[in-house]
Amino acid sequence: MRSVEPMEGYGPTARRRRGISRRKEMPLWQELPLLLVVAFCLAVLIRTFLVQAFFIPSGSMENTLEVNDRVLVNKVVYDMRDPLRGEIVVFRGTEDWAPEVTEPVSDAFIAKLGRTVGDLVGISRPGERDFIKRVIGLPGDKVACCDEQGRITVNGVGIDEPYISEGFNSDLNQPPIAGQCTSRRFAEVTVPAGQMFVMGDHRSVSQDARCQGPVPIENIIGRAFVVVWPSDRFNSLSVPDVWKQFAADQPTAAGAKPQPQPKADPVVAANVLPLLIGVALSARSGMSFVTRRRRLRA
């Protein structure tokens, strides 16, 4: 009696293979929560080590940054190099710096939970000691105001600051007042070693190093490099040409250690890697869903 070969795809081996394949698949109602947990964990890791979103709470950087803008901050760039003049940085102020965020917050459980989750993924309000300003002077620099044209000077060189809008500068004729930044004028300051001199772009309202003193470079959280929200204000925060030219003419401050100036910040990995991971997860989920639909239709 002749043996009959099983049809291809219908033998015991094929049935076992299909059974294993079915057991490995995960239902959508189980896969979706898993993807959400993975996405949340990725967001926390990215926020902790690579990039964090910051909310702008005050007008001290207008019109470069407006109230309620969201910016992305590169948290790894200064692990590789020192800050540059003209860059916008987020940092923790010293005890001499008065908080810019003084609005009361709710103590309700839901509000606290929202703030905790928001802080984990980097979309919450900044803390009382978190500030965002522009770097004006580095260790050894001599910063003062003003020259004959009413400009700040760094190492005796007047700086034409294109980001200061008309009417946003401090009063040139008002005499300096200790502990206040209401006057444009301030005596020459030699930036101490390991510190930086920072100022807001809206000089008439910004409380900055003019009256609160320089800030340790080690207090920097990261460099703000792009405005991401609102969408109509999407814009990169590059170093103005005037500061690039100044750095070319004076690559180091007096007494400062020479530092290489990279052509670009190391933000590619910080931005592209999370995007690729997100696309991969979405693609996997989408392929699984399409496969299920095809199987159901068959």
Side-chain angles (χ1 to χ4, degrees), residues 13-173:
T13 303
R15 285 196 297 269
R16 285 196 298 271
R17 189 180 297 114
R18 287 198 299 270
I20 294 173
S21 177
R22 289 194 187 98
R23 285 194 295 271
K24 286 184 177 180
E25 291 178 359
M26 185 180 295
L28 181 61
W29 64 270
Q30 291 181 347
E31 185 176 19
L32 184 58
L34 178 61
L35 290 175
L36 291 176
V37 171
V38 171
F40 180 80
C41 293
L42 285 174
V44 172
L45 290 173
I46 292 168
R47 180 262 188 207
T48 303
F49 299 106
L50 298 177
V51 176
Q52 183 175 354
F54 274 85
F55 166 86
I56 305 302
S58 73
S60 66
M61 284 295 294
E62 292 176 336
N63 282 327
T64 305
L65 300 173
E66 296 184 355
V67 178
N68 296 329
D69 279 354
R70 265 71 170 179
V71 298
L72 290 185
V73 172
N74 181 351
K75 303 182 74 172
V76 299
V77 58
Y78 297 131
D79 292 333
M80 305 178 186
R81 64 169 176 84
D82 289 339
L84 304 178
R85 305 179 191 93
E87 290 182 326
I88 297 175
V89 296
V90 174
F91 59 93
R92 296 181 185 88
T94 65
E95 293 298 323
D96 296 330
W97 280 63
E100 287 187 333
V101 182
T102 57
E103 298 178 4
V105 295
S106 173
D107 290 329
F109 173 77
I110 297 298
K112 289 182 178 180
L113 179 62
R115 289 196 297 270
T116 300
V117 174
D119 183 64
L120 285 173
V121 299
I123 59 173
S124 63
R125 296 176 62 87
E128 289 186 351
R129 292 292 174 185
D130 292 343
F131 299 86
I132 183 166
K133 306 290 181 186
R134 190 181 297 274
V135 178
I136 302 296
L138 296 174
D141 280 341
K142 299 181 183 299
V143 185
C145 191
C146 304
D147 64 5
E148 294 180 354
Q149 301 179 40
R151 303 174 300 179
I152 63 168
T153 62
V154 180
N155 300 332
V157 179
I159 307 296
D160 291 306
E161 300 178 276
Y163 41 79
I164 298 182
S165 303
E166 185 177 355
F168 279 37
N169 215 334
S170 304
D171 188 353
L172 183 61
N173 298 317

Side-chain angles (χ1 to χ4, degrees), residues 168-188:
F168 279 37
N169 215 334
S170 304
D171 188 353
L172 183 61
N173 298 317
Q174 183 173 345
I177 302 176
Q180 297 184 23
C181 294
T182 53
S183 173
R184 189 186 311 188
R185 298 184 181 278
F186 60 92
E188 183 178 89

Side-chain angles (χ1 to χ4, degrees), residues 94 97 189-192 195-198 209 212-216:
T94 65
W97 280 63
V189 176
T190 300
V191 184
Q195 301 195 32
M196 59 182 179
F197 193 94
V198 294
Q212 303 190 101
V215 178

